[in-house]
Amino acid sequence: MEVEFKALLDDLDVLEKSLSDPAPIHKLRSHVENLANLSKCNPQRRSRVKELSSEVVDSNPYSRLMALQRMGIVDNYERIRGFSVAIVGIGGVGSVAAEMLTRCGIGRLLLYDYDTVELANMNRLFFRPDQVGMTKTDAAVQTLAEINPDVVLESFTMNITTVQGFETFTSSLTNKSFCPSKEGSGVDLVLSCVDNYEARMAVNQACNELRQTWMESGVSEDAVSGHIQLLVPGETACFACAPPLVVASGIDERTLKREGVCAASLPTTMGVVAGLLVQNSLKFLLNFGEVSPYLGYNSLKDFFPTMKMRPNPQCSNVACLERQNTCLRNQKGTLLLKLRWKLMHPQLSMKAHSMLIMSGT
Amino acid sequence: MEVEFKALLDDLDVLEKSLSDPAPIHKLRSHVENLANLSKCNPQRRSRVKELSSEVVDSNPYSRLMALQRMGIVDNYERIRGFSVAIVGIGGVGSVAAEMLTRCGIGRLLLYDYDTVELANMNRLFFRPDQVGMTKTDAAVQTLAEINPDVVLESFTMNITTVQGFETFTSSLTNKSFCPSKEGSGVDLVLSCVDNYEARMAVNQACNELRQTWMESGVSEDAVSGHIQLLVPGETACFACAPPLVVASGIDERTLKREGVCAASLPTTMGVVAGLLVQNSLKFLLNFGEVSPYLGYNSLKDFFPTMKMRPNPQCSNVACLERQNTCLRNQKGTLLLKLRWKLMHPQLSMKAHSMLIMSGT
């Protein structure tokens, strides 16, 4: 509507010049300017919150989250404001994951996608028909900023599988301006919510290089199953340690796509996978429950397989091998420390010994 | 903004009368009227679709759902347009369930709730801060109609646990105007997404009386577990067959609430429970996969227990006992039929016999 208001104001200018008494036009202009401002901002948008409160009043957007402390689930919920999470792929899973983290009051979200919203996306949650044509990251920022203005949102409309895109991706992950004292990279977790292996390999490469913990997610082409997976470089399998056949064979997956054929998708499967992914992320960040290394979802039988995946010493990814070697060196160091300590204090049990090791003694 | 546009038009009227040449004012009025119309309607709202198409184009909101047929998951996806689903409780689970069914293109949704949207609800999915103060059913209809104008939405802002509310509830369930040829009640499934036992007992009573299949859902007070359950009157346990202690003891649960204390809730747990609930509903309605009789979700350990619950012959609910007796009579009738047939055709195997029984011979 901005264009229309501009045209109206221009017409008023023309009219003002043709009149001997410009006073009524001044009044009209003030009216029109007021309307233009009203059309820009939503007067009911909630204001920012300085500190999370556990007060039980209708106007507190955080009371039900802070109640997790009273229930004994989370020690210090307010820590969530210090975390940065990067979400790669703002589609059926990524957009819902972003909305969940936004409603939970995450500190900062970095959103990556190169695609635009289409009507064909309307069978999943999140995007609305009036956002068709917008880039997915811009549409997401528009909606998320309305939902929770406390979250710092960063929109990256780009393809991480290009040379330039990959560079921008890794440098954005290492930007520590949000939390200058943070160790490691500038984000606490990367969530991969992409729909192709090429993009997963790019996330895998960046995370291996940066020693960045990430979680991968996926939904099957027939829309009725999915999975989430935790990847800690060097400690668990990386995405290249046991790649799907299409990756291992070096096939360009774009050649597999057929004209006039698309994958199926359901808002249910994608909503469940996003929920499991963000629940696992909250457990990882806020330190409660057990973080699942892998969790599958077969909706036809309501079967939820879990498993652990060890890193592959013959992995084709050089950065993964480096991370594996660092882990092995650290493990050897810990074992040597344990052995030396045991020789010095033979009377103490292994349990007491482990407790001392864990407490950093 | 309507008031502001009215004032602007009034000012233009006054100006027009004071001028010798009213032509520039006519142009201005046309501008302002155009803007007023733009502010009222969303020009990008999508138009209704007559028939679901499987054509793979960006502008088709159903291509990814119709692909379920090509993938061999669903025989005839278009059947979804003939189904009516009632959702009781449009909170953290019910609102997301409604959005999922709307995006799937369900024929008709009946929404029941007496509550209004508060900022304290913003930690779950669906509602937005600009909807604070609206009734939950009206806010839901506003959002869902924008997402998919093909769905018939009916909003019931009322409490089903009052005498008047219960009557309106049962009569709305039996209204067959959407599908006059439908057998049984006017809806195919009732989803209970309420947060208290009194409301669950009301849904249970109505469904037992109407012989209405329904699904129950719940999320724990500490926000980290939940469940869904299928209830077929007479065939499975009803909600009164094995009631929670608070119901069995006849305690008024409202007396258990403490001042300044609220339950915790998470968008993740509620999103997962809504996803499992609607997935089970789709399997039930569209006849694919296995419909789960009960599915639990313990998010701390990612444990998903399942079980079957038989009806209790000592159930306190009279309508449940009537349904149980009908089922028993039908079972006895089937057994007698089988026995008579066996005596007449001793040479046929039991498998052939079952196949003939199933095909209605």
Side-chain angles (χ1 to χ4, degrees):
Chain A
M1 284 170 70
E2 235 167 308
V3 178
E4 283 81 0
F5 276 115
K6 177 76 173 54
L8 187 56
L9 288 167
D10 289 346
D11 282 352
L12 281 176
D13 283 343
V14 173
L15 190 62
E16 187 177 358
K17 280 170 196 159
S18 71
L19 293 180
S20 53
D21 174 18
I25 301 297
H26 292 167
K27 193 182 166 195
L28 276 174
R29 180 176 290 118
S30 135
H31 254 318
V32 173
E33 282 168 354
N34 180 28
L35 272 166
N37 284 333
L38 268 178
S39 79
K40 268 186 217 158
C41 71
N42 185 335
Q44 294 203 49
R45 185 171 163 173
R46 84 160 170 84
S47 52
R48 292 194 181 187
V49 168
K50 274 199 181 160
E51 277 175 32
L52 301 197
S53 149
S54 58
E55 196 191 359
V56 180
V57 285
D58 297 349
S59 57
N60 179 6
Y62 295 109
S63 57
R64 311 297 166 96
L65 295 163
M66 293 298 281
L68 288 164
Q69 292 185 185
R70 194 177 46 76
M71 297 278 180
I73 302 295
V74 177
D75 280 343
N76 178 2
Y77 189 82
E78 201 152 2
R79 282 179 63 213
I80 199 152
R81 301 192 94 170
F83 295 126
S84 291
V85 175
I87 306 184
V88 189
I90 310 301
V93 173
S95 61
V96 180
E99 181 172 350
M100 286 173 171
L101 285 166
T102 297
R103 292 189 184 257
C104 281
I106 195 84
R108 173 173 164 245
L109 274 185
L110 296 83
L111 309 175
Y112 305 82
D113 205 301
Y114 64 87
D115 216 355
T116 51
V117 181
E118 295 162 2
L119 271 185
N121 306 140
M122 293 307 138
N123 68 319
R124 306 113 176 183
L125 299 182
F126 195 77
F127 293 114
R128 307 183 307 262
D130 65 274
Q131 293 176 321
V132 165
M134 290 178 78
T135 68
K136 284 185 178 172
T137 53
D138 287 350
V141 166
Q142 180 191 56
T143 301
L144 300 175
E146 288 287 327
I147 290 172
N148 190 347
D150 298 329
V151 180
V152 175
L153 297 162
E154 295 178 20
S155 160
F156 297 89
T157 307
M158 56 172 224
N159 183 348
I160 66 160
T161 66
T162 64
V163 175
Q164 173 67 43
F166 186 78
E167 269 180 29
T168 312
F169 178 50
T170 51
S171 71
S172 65
L173 291 180
T174 49
N175 171 12
K176 293 184 191 174
S177 57
F178 177 72
C179 198
S181 60
K182 204 183 280 286
E183 279 183 30
S185 88
V187 301
D188 299 278
L189 193 61
V190 172
L191 301 182
S192 167
C193 305
V194 299
D195 64 354
N196 65 85
Y197 295 120
E198 193 184 5
R200 283 185 179 92
M201 290 298 267
V203 175
N204 188 58
Q205 183 63 36
C207 291
N208 276 344
E209 283 179 13
L210 300 172
R211 202 182 299 186
Q212 173 65 55
T213 298
W214 62 293
M215 288 190 200
E216 135 74 3
S217 66
V219 174
S220 63
E221 281 215 331
D222 64 5
V224 285
S225 54
H227 74 275
I228 63 164
Q229 184 181 347
L230 170 74
L231 297 102
V232 187
E235 290 181 31
T236 69
C238 88
F239 191 74
C241 279
L245 189 60
V246 66
V247 174
S249 327
I251 295 168
D252 183 342
E253 60 185 315
R254 283 166 293 194
T255 60
L256 303 175
K257 286 196 177 162
R258 283 171 294 162
E259 191 66 35
V261 169
C262 67
S265 60
L266 280 168
T268 44
T269 311
M270 290 186 152
V272 169
V273 169
L276 298 175
L277 178 71
V278 177
Q279 196 84 292
N280 218 34
S281 304
L282 293 175
K283 290 193 281 184
F284 173 81
L285 295 170
L286 296 168
N287 193 29
F288 68 95
E290 290 170 18
V291 179
S292 282
Y294 177 99
L295 177 61
Y297 169 42
N298 171 335
S299 78
L300 293 184
K301 291 176 181 285
D302 281 332
F303 172 57
F304 299 83
T306 54
M307 57 172 156
K308 281 186 184 177
M309 283 196 276
R310 304 273 309 143
N312 177 1
Q314 274 133 27
C315 180
S316 61
N317 188 286
V318 178
C320 172
L321 294 179
E322 281 173 21
R323 295 287 92 83
Q324 288 189 43
N325 286 334
T326 315
C327 278
L328 278 176
R329 275 199 302 275
N330 290 346
Q331 276 169 14
K332 277 183 194 157
T334 312
L335 278 173
L336 271 175
L337 197 70
K338 277 187 185 175
L339 196 63
R340 194 178 302 150
W341 198 91
K342 186 77 182 161
L343 289 169
M344 287 163 67
H345 309 274
Q347 74 286 7
L348 277 186
S349 72
M350 274 310 281
K351 194 175 173 194
H353 159 244
S354 308
M355 284 168 72
L356 285 167
I357 290 277
M358 280 170 72
S359 64
T361 312
Chain B
M1 284 171 70
E2 234 167 310
V3 178
E4 282 83 0
F5 276 116
K6 176 75 174 53
L8 186 56
L9 288 168
D10 288 345
D11 282 352
L12 282 176
D13 283 345
V14 173
L15 190 63
E16 186 176 356
K17 279 169 197 159
S18 71
L19 294 178
S20 53
D21 174 19
I25 301 297
H26 291 167
K27 192 181 167 197
L28 275 174
R29 181 177 290 118
S30 135
H31 255 317
V32 173
E33 283 167 354
N34 180 28
L35 273 166
N37 283 334
L38 269 178
S39 79
K40 267 187 221 158
C41 70
N42 187 335
Q44 293 204 48
R45 186 172 162 173
R46 84 160 170 85
S47 52
R48 292 193 181 187
V49 167
K50 274 199 183 161
E51 275 176 33
L52 301 197
S53 148
S54 58
E55 196 191 357
V56 181
V57 286
D58 296 350
S59 57
N60 179 7
Y62 295 108
S63 58
R64 311 296 165 96
L65 295 164
M66 293 298 282
L68 288 164
Q69 293 185 184
R70 196 178 45 78
M71 297 277 178
I73 303 295
V74 177
D75 279 344
N76 178 3
Y77 189 82
E78 201 153 3
R79 283 179 63 214
I80 200 154
R81 302 192 94 170
F83 295 125
S84 291
V85 175
I87 306 185
V88 189
I90 310 302
V93 173
S95 60
V96 180
E99 181 173 349
M100 287 171 170
L101 285 167
T102 297
R103 291 187 184 261
C104 281
I106 194 84
R108 173 174 165 243
L109 274 185
L110 296 82
L111 310 174
Y112 305 82
D113 205 301
Y114 64 88
D115 217 355
T116 51
V117 181
E118 295 161 3
L119 271 185
N121 306 140
M122 294 306 137
N123 68 318
R124 306 116 178 182
L125 301 181
F126 194 76
F127 292 114
R128 306 183 307 263
D130 65 274
Q131 292 176 320
V132 165
M134 290 178 78
T135 68
K136 285 184 176 170
T137 52
D138 287 351
V141 167
Q142 181 191 55
T143 302
L144 300 175
E146 288 287 327
I147 290 172
N148 190 346
D150 298 329
V151 180
V152 176
L153 297 162
E154 294 178 21
S155 160
F156 297 89
T157 307
M158 56 172 222
N159 184 347
I160 65 159
T161 66
T162 64
V163 175
Q164 173 67 45
F166 186 77
E167 271 180 26
T168 312
F169 178 50
T170 51
S171 70
S172 65
L173 291 181
T174 49
N175 172 12
K176 292 182 191 174
S177 58
F178 176 73
C179 199
S181 60
K182 204 183 279 288
E183 279 184 30
S185 88
V187 301
D188 299 278
L189 193 60
V190 172
L191 301 182
S192 168
C193 305
V194 298
D195 64 354
N196 65 86
Y197 294 121
E198 194 184 3
R200 283 185 179 91
M201 289 298 266
V203 176
N204 189 58
Q205 183 64 35
C207 291
N208 276 343
E209 284 179 14
L210 301 173
R211 203 182 295 185
Q212 173 66 56
T213 297
W214 62 293
M215 287 190 200
E216 136 73 3
S217 66
V219 175
S220 64
E221 281 217 330
D222 64 6
V224 284
S225 54
H227 74 276
I228 63 164
Q229 184 181 346
L230 171 73
L231 297 102
V232 187
E235 289 182 31
T236 70
C238 88
F239 192 73
C241 279
L245 190 59
V246 67
V247 174
S249 327
I251 295 167
D252 183 343
E253 62 185 315
R254 281 166 295 193
T255 62
L256 302 175
K257 286 195 177 163
R258 284 172 292 162
E259 190 66 35
V261 169
C262 67
S265 60
L266 280 168
T268 44
T269 311
M270 290 185 153
V272 169
V273 169
L276 298 175
L277 179 70
V278 178
Q279 196 84 294
N280 219 33
S281 304
L282 292 175
K283 290 193 282 184
F284 173 81
L285 295 170
L286 296 169
N287 194 28
F288 67 95
E290 290 170 19
V291 179
S292 282
Y294 177 99
L295 176 62
Y297 169 42
N298 171 335
S299 78
L300 293 184
K301 291 176 182 284
D302 282 332
F303 172 58
F304 299 82
T306 54
M307 58 172 155
K308 281 187 184 177
M309 284 196 277
R310 303 273 310 144
N312 177 2
Q314 275 134 27
C315 180
S316 62
N317 188 287
V318 178
C320 173
L321 294 179
E322 281 174 20
R323 296 286 92 83
Q324 288 189 43
N325 285 333
T326 313
C327 278
L328 278 176
R329 273 200 303 274
N330 290 346
Q331 276 169 13
K332 276 182 195 160
T334 311
L335 278 173
L336 271 175
L337 197 69
K338 278 187 184 175
L339 196 62
R340 194 178 302 152
W341 199 91
K342 186 76 182 162
L343 289 169
M344 287 163 68
H345 308 274
Q347 74 286 8
L348 279 186
S349 72
M350 277 307 283
K351 193 175 172 192
H353 159 243
S354 308
M355 284 169 71
L356 284 167
I357 288 278
M358 281 170 71
S359 65
T361 313

